[in-house]
Amino acid sequence: VQLQASGGGLVQAGGSLRLSCVASEGSLSEYAMAWFRQAPGKEREFVVAISVSSARTPYVDSAKGRFTVSRDNAKNTLYLQMNNLQIEDTAVYYCAADSSLATIDRPHYWGQGTLVTVSS
């Protein structure tokens, strides 16, 4: 499967963005999905995952209550709604896919990343 992330941009602190990740050459419904991010000068970190059925959505603590992950398997699309964005959310955001939620921290497939910049 190939993944294409989009929706990043420049937003002021407290604002919102919605990221999308479209899958091609495969069906999203076969994969657990996740969002990761990499801030400047830092290692890539896990943000949130979502199971195939959307029943399980583990979040990193910093995203809880502000970010919402969802998926539309019919549209082959993964979403990340980000509200109340903070400067520390500035990063390149990557979508990822793996065959199992249990191994989503080491995903087999990666998208190309979309840059989110939060200004004060």
Side-chain angles (χ1 to χ4, degrees):
V1 65
Q2 294 196 0
L3 304 173
Q4 179 80 29
S6 63
L10 176 64
V11 63
Q12 287 189 324
S16 299
L17 281 175
R18 188 175 83 155
L19 306 184
S20 298
C21 174
V22 178
S24 60
E25 298 187 19
S27 175
L28 204 69
S29 62
E30 299 179 6
Y31 300 96
M33 303 294 297
W35 289 98
F36 291 75
R37 67 185 180 185
Q38 187 167 19
K42 295 186 177 181
E43 293 186 355
R44 188 156 48 189
E45 66 170 354
F46 168 86
V47 177
V48 61
I50 184 168
S51 60
V52 170
S53 67
S54 301
R56 296 177 61 191
T57 55
Y59 288 83
V60 68
D61 285 347
S62 60
K64 290 178 181 177
R66 300 188 301 125
F67 293 5
T68 303
V69 66
S70 61
R71 63 191 296 161
D72 186 334
N73 289 338
K75 294 183 178 179
N76 256 5
T77 304
L78 172 73
Y79 302 100
L80 183 66
Q81 177 66 43
M82 304 186 294
N83 298 327
N84 191 23
L85 282 161
Q86 303 300 310
I87 292 175
E88 54 266 31
D89 295 317
T90 295
V92 177
Y93 284 71
Y94 299 88
C95 56
D98 201 78
S99 59
S100 170
L101 193 65
T103 53
I104 196 61
D105 60 329
R106 305 177 301 278
H108 190 76
Y109 302 100
W110 290 94
Q112 89 291 357
T114 185
L115 176 62
V116 172
T117 304
V118 184
S119 65
S120 59

